[in-house]
Amino acid sequence: MQKVSKNASNKASGGTTKKVSKQCSIEQNANIDNNKKVDKAKLIDKDSLPSMLSFNLDSLFRNTDELDKFSNEIECKLQAFNDTYENKLHELNNEGFVEALLEYENLCEGLGAIMTYVFLKFAVDSKEYGALYANYELKCNNLYSKIIFFELEFANLQDAKMNDFINVSEKYKFFLSNIKENKKYKLSLKEEQVILNLSPVGVDAFSRLFDESLANMRFCGVTSDKEIGEEEILGLLHVSKRKIRKLAQKNFTKGLVQNSHLLTYVLNMVRKNLTIIQKMRGYEKPESFRHISNQTTQESVDSMISCVNNNMHLVHGYYCVKGQLIGHKLKDYDRYAPLGLSKKQADMSFQEALYDTLKSFYDFSPRFYDIALNAIKDGWIDSHPKPAKRGGAFSHGSVPKSHPYIMLNFTGNRRDAFTIAHELGHAIHQELSKTQGTLNHDTPLTTAETASVFAEMLLFDSLKSKLKNKELLDIYAGKIEDIFSTLFRQIVMTNFERSIHDIQGEVSTEEFDRIWLEENKKMFGDSVKLTKNYSHWWSYIPHFIHSPFYCYAYSYGQLLVLALFGLYKSSKNKQEFVKKYIEFLSAGGSQSPRDLVLTFGFDINKSEFWEIGINEVRNLLKEFETLLNKADL
């Protein structure tokens, strides 16, 4: 469930304003109506679906020659923009500012298209395209430095002038108001340029080192002598044979320990970078920059985290029951073991996983179905593990002139079907919101997970209707564990980050191990025995490296979705809900998360809101318990 967010790289620095990978707009696509009536096409036949998919990046660039030509052309445009507007925003009238803002957006999208292309090349084959990615990251940082002044100068305008520009920029009011609100964290133009220009050899370089190291790391096989990658060995934790799970855990840990010096060093560099940035920008806490980008408050985040921490007993209770069903005390490598109540295997072909996901979308909304089908047909997806391919899965929002791109590492089980639904949910959100243009396309993390987790719930609800009791218990267990992973485990990770970023100076591998085990024990209590091997498993988590304090957004999204999905299921007018939900997704980042959620009658600033989502978790556990009592075990 690892994601890169919608940007080519989601960094920890807090940035000036826009990273070069920020989605940007060459074409506005403003005339697309996402609320138009869509005729319900016939559901595609399962056998006509592909068994494997690869990216087609032609919507960005057809080859590197076209990429090089475009980058040379945009360099001239960036210089012209710089010559025309730097140190002159205060001289512009309202009409002149709007013209400059649109040109700025257009140029940002050009840079975003470049970085999207090279990042996707790198993600699929880090060995072949590592140099291309590094070269263009450096080049685009240099190019972006020509327009970095724009938002900084806007933030330094006199209030009256700034307010005039905000009021005449109707579509961009929220974007510009955010700049005004957070201007106290901005540095001088020269300082911002220094940070930008040094980033490829600073923390970004360590992020790349982490990615390349993990992508090329090989672990001893379990069922054969063949060495396997991260995704494949972690997938073995979900198989029914305990001996295989235990050996997978042992071999994965062995690989992490062999690389522990490197992985410890990289995480310490990320910690140091965040400390420097916090001091330079004046953030109140190491995590403050993330709340600003998420457009939420420290109080709201603390309230949500407190709510989740206070309900860890729900996890304890479930895993105690699972241990009884499996017949032994659970260890960490047993957490994802299938209950095995049904004789049917949970293995799935890629075609089956695609079909089940498409059907769940088809039953919910023709718009969801059409976008997902386009993704499958038009090269939006790279589906299976390959040598030197990045681990995990993500949906990259790309740029409005193109479409999202989804990277998967499908290994052939029902869990992977939920990953497909998750990433297609992201892609639907990103495709709908691109009508807002570059500057409003990007959603904060607090709402970015909404469509993805909602899509998982659609698939879960769809599968429930066709399964018998024992098989249904298996899928309920899988969904509950996924929610625990998305909700409670992400808060464990946030608690871990809070602890390690509060420590002054270097942190040893042993100290990281200790804190990781200590925080995870709070989630599992006595229901799961965490082994010494598990203490090393902080070291492969990419969010700690690419996006510090990212993880709580998963919990935000999960609780929000549980509340929305409950509203959908209880709604007497489901079509009206779907219409409102598509409008919610289509708004992208053009409104604050609070205002978007208020359209459904919820206030994310109130502690009662988080309890709504927790109550949905309790309801799911009660449904599982009811099924269990009815089952003939």
Side-chain angles (χ1 to χ4, degrees):
M1 299 203 357
Q2 170 201 331
K3 278 173 283 299
V4 179
S5 174
K6 296 168 295 303
N7 296 335
S9 54
N10 192 358
K11 307 302 182 186
S13 69
T16 58
T17 47
K18 291 278 176 295
K19 300 296 286 182
V20 289
S21 55
K22 181 74 179 179
Q23 296 131 340
C24 313
S25 180
I26 290 173
E27 297 173 5
Q28 293 296 319
N29 294 306
N31 295 322
I32 299 173
D33 180 6
N34 286 316
N35 297 316
K36 66 183 180 181
K37 181 176 175 59
V38 181
D39 293 331
K40 197 165 187 177
K42 184 179 179 182
L43 180 65
I44 195 169
D45 183 69
K46 180 175 67 177
D47 294 333
S48 67
L49 290 167
S51 57
M52 184 177 290
L53 292 167
S54 297
F55 283 148
N56 179 349
L57 302 182
D58 286 356
S59 69
L60 294 163
F61 302 101
R62 285 173 291 187
N63 49 51
T64 53
D65 288 340
E66 192 174 282
L67 170 72
D68 292 340
K69 180 182 177 183
F70 179 82
S71 66
N72 290 333
E73 291 172 351
I74 200 171
E75 183 171 9
C76 297
K77 295 178 181 178
L78 288 160
Q79 186 60 57
F81 185 87
N82 180 280
D83 293 342
T84 303
Y85 294 111
E86 186 173 16
N87 297 321
K88 299 172 186 173
L89 289 192
H90 65 282
E91 299 174 0
L92 298 178
N93 59 23
N94 290 346
E95 184 179 343
F97 176 78
V98 171
E99 182 180 336
L101 180 62
L102 293 174
E103 189 175 350
Y104 173 70
E105 180 177 56
N106 197 44
L107 292 169
C108 284
E109 179 164 1
L111 293 175
I114 293 170
M115 283 308 300
T116 297
Y117 181 82
V118 296
F119 170 74
L120 293 173
K121 286 283 193 182
F122 170 73
V124 173
D125 190 341
S126 63
K127 186 176 291 185
E128 178 72 20
Y129 293 103
L132 177 73
Y133 180 61
N135 290 340
Y136 264 100
E137 184 178 40
L138 183 60
K139 182 172 184 176
C140 282
N141 278 347
N142 289 333
L143 292 175
Y144 183 68
S145 67
K146 296 179 184 300
I147 57 171
I148 196 174
F149 72 87
F150 185 80
E151 294 180 30
L152 293 171
E153 279 193 34
F154 175 80
N156 288 324
L157 292 172
Q158 292 183 352
D159 284 350
K161 189 83 168 177
M162 195 186 304
N163 290 335
D164 284 345
F165 286 168
I166 290 173
N167 290 331
V168 298
S169 306
E170 184 64 34
K171 183 177 178 180
Y172 305 98
K173 274 188 176 180
F174 182 67
F175 168 76
L176 295 172
S177 295
N178 273 339
I179 296 174
K180 178 184 177 182
E181 184 177 345
N182 297 306
K183 65 180 182 179
K184 64 180 179 179
Y185 301 115
K186 307 303 179 189
L187 304 177
S188 70
L189 176 59
K190 288 296 182 185
E191 289 171 317
E192 297 289 4
Q193 287 175 329
V194 168
I195 291 173
L196 181 66
N197 290 330
L198 286 178
S199 62
V201 293
V203 73
D204 290 6
F206 290 105
S207 294
R208 178 189 165 195
L209 177 62
F210 177 87
D211 280 350
E212 291 193 19
S213 300
L214 263 291
N216 290 291
M217 209 177 284
R218 287 293 173 265
F219 305 91
C220 295
V222 173
T223 56
S224 71
D225 293 333
K226 179 184 176 183
E227 290 189 332
I228 56 179
E230 173 197 349
E231 285 297 315
E232 293 163 291
I233 199 164
L234 288 175
L236 295 175
L237 296 175
H238 297 258
V239 303
S240 57
K241 292 185 179 179
R242 195 181 194 207
K243 184 177 180 180
I244 291 178
R245 297 196 304 271
K246 182 177 181 180
L247 193 54
Q249 182 242 41
K250 179 181 177 182
N251 290 351
F252 185 59
T253 303
K254 184 178 179 181
L256 294 178
V257 170
Q258 288 172 346
N259 291 274
S260 62
H261 177 75
L262 169 67
L263 298 173
T264 298
Y265 186 78
V266 170
L267 185 52
N268 271 311
M269 290 303 100
V270 172
R271 292 177 55 252
K272 287 182 180 179
N273 176 76
L274 198 52
T275 299
I276 293 168
I277 293 298
Q278 179 190 355
K279 184 177 180 181
M280 288 180 67
R281 296 191 181 281
Y283 294 133
E284 290 79 5
K285 295 186 175 185
E287 65 193 70
S288 297
F289 80 96
R290 183 63 67 196
H291 308 331
I292 292 167
S293 67
N294 283 344
Q295 297 161 16
T296 189
T297 63
Q298 185 72 51
E299 291 76 15
S300 179
V301 174
D302 287 345
S303 175
M304 184 271 296
I305 290 176
S306 177
C307 179
V308 176
N309 281 331
N310 290 337
N311 283 280
M312 291 289 185
H313 61 276
L314 297 175
V315 182
H316 306 171
Y318 168 79
Y319 279 111
C320 282
V321 171
K322 180 170 183 174
Q324 294 170 8
L325 290 172
I326 288 181
H328 57 74
K329 172 89 172 180
L330 298 181
K331 292 190 175 182
D332 52 84
Y333 51 80
D334 297 319
R335 287 172 300 146
Y336 303 122
L339 291 181
L341 299 177
S342 170
K343 293 180 180 180
K344 290 185 177 181
Q345 293 294 316
D347 295 340
M348 295 185 80
S349 71
F350 187 58
Q351 288 174 306
E352 289 175 309
L354 286 178
Y355 177 79
D356 284 346
T357 302
L358 284 173
K359 185 180 185 306
S360 69
F361 291 174
Y362 182 83
D363 294 337
F364 176 71
S365 161
R367 192 81 177 100
F368 270 46
Y369 172 74
D370 287 346
I371 294 173
L373 191 58
N374 287 341
I376 293 166
K377 289 181 174 181
D378 296 340
W380 299 17
I381 302 173
D382 194 281
S383 60
H384 285 67
K386 303 170 188 174
K389 181 178 177 180
R390 179 178 173 145
F394 63 75
S395 180
H396 188 308
S398 186
V399 290
K401 74 146 186 143
S402 176
H403 53 68
Y405 282 94
I406 298 169
M407 194 197 78
L408 305 169
N409 277 284
F410 186 82
T411 57
N413 55 51
R414 187 175 284 146
R415 176 178 56 91
D416 287 347
F418 282 100
T419 301
I420 291 173
H422 183 104
E423 303 307 339
L424 278 171
H426 272 305
I428 289 166
H429 194 176
Q430 292 156 353
E431 182 69 4
L432 289 171
S433 67
K434 76 181 188 182
T435 60
Q436 297 293 338
T438 298
L439 301 181
N440 292 323
H441 182 206
D442 199 17
T443 55
L445 299 178
T446 39
T447 51
E449 294 301 325
T450 309
S452 55
V453 181
F454 195 93
E456 287 187 59
M457 294 301 294
L458 289 175
L459 177 59
F460 174 65
D461 208 49
S462 177
L463 290 176
K464 282 196 305 184
S465 62
K466 71 174 190 177
L467 299 177
K468 294 183 179 178
N469 204 306
K470 289 185 179 180
E471 199 175 0
L472 191 55
L473 276 169
D474 282 339
I475 194 174
Y476 257 90
K479 173 44 63 181
I480 289 168
E481 289 167 23
D482 280 345
I483 289 176
F484 285 173
S485 179
T486 307
L487 178 55
F488 294 99
R489 186 168 181 259
Q490 302 303 321
I491 296 304
V492 167
M493 291 184 183
T494 302
N495 293 338
F496 172 77
E497 286 189 285
R498 283 181 164 182
S499 294
I500 66 171
H501 284 283
D502 280 345
I503 298 173
Q504 300 296 315
E506 289 271 331
V507 177
S508 67
T509 302
E510 294 72 23
E511 185 69 358
F512 281 138
D513 290 352
R514 182 191 67 77
I515 297 170
W516 176 253
L517 214 54
E518 186 178 276
E519 293 299 338
N520 276 272
K521 283 179 179 178
K522 296 174 185 176
M523 174 174 170
F524 297 106
D526 294 329
S527 64
V528 176
K529 177 175 175 53
L530 299 179
T531 66
K532 184 178 179 181
N533 281 343
Y534 188 67
S535 67
H536 304 294
W537 283 33
W538 55 267
S539 59
Y540 81 95
I541 308 296
H543 296 92
F544 297 159
I545 309 303
H546 297 295
S547 336
F549 298 105
Y550 179 107
C551 293
Y552 78 78
Y554 283 112
S555 304
Y556 237 91
Q558 181 71 77
L559 288 175
L560 171 59
V561 165
L562 287 169
L564 290 179
F565 197 76
L567 182 64
Y568 165 64
K569 295 299 292 181
S570 63
S571 175
K572 294 180 180 179
N573 189 341
K574 287 186 168 50
Q575 286 187 342
E576 181 60 28
F577 176 90
V578 171
K579 179 177 180 293
K580 186 181 292 187
Y581 187 58
I582 288 177
E583 289 172 352
F584 170 88
L585 299 179
S586 300
S590 64
Q591 300 176 50
S592 73
R594 187 185 182 209
D595 287 342
L596 287 170
V597 176
L598 278 172
T599 63
F600 293 98
F602 297 135
D603 188 345
I604 62 175
N605 283 353
K606 294 184 178 179
S607 59
E608 293 83 0
F609 166 73
W610 306 116
E611 285 295 339
I612 296 172
I614 290 293
N615 281 332
E616 289 297 320
V617 177
R618 292 192 186 100
N619 290 338
L620 198 61
L621 288 167
K622 287 177 184 176
E623 291 172 17
F624 177 74
E625 185 178 3
T626 300
L627 283 170
L628 203 56
N629 291 334
K630 290 180 179 178
D632 182 18
L633 303 179

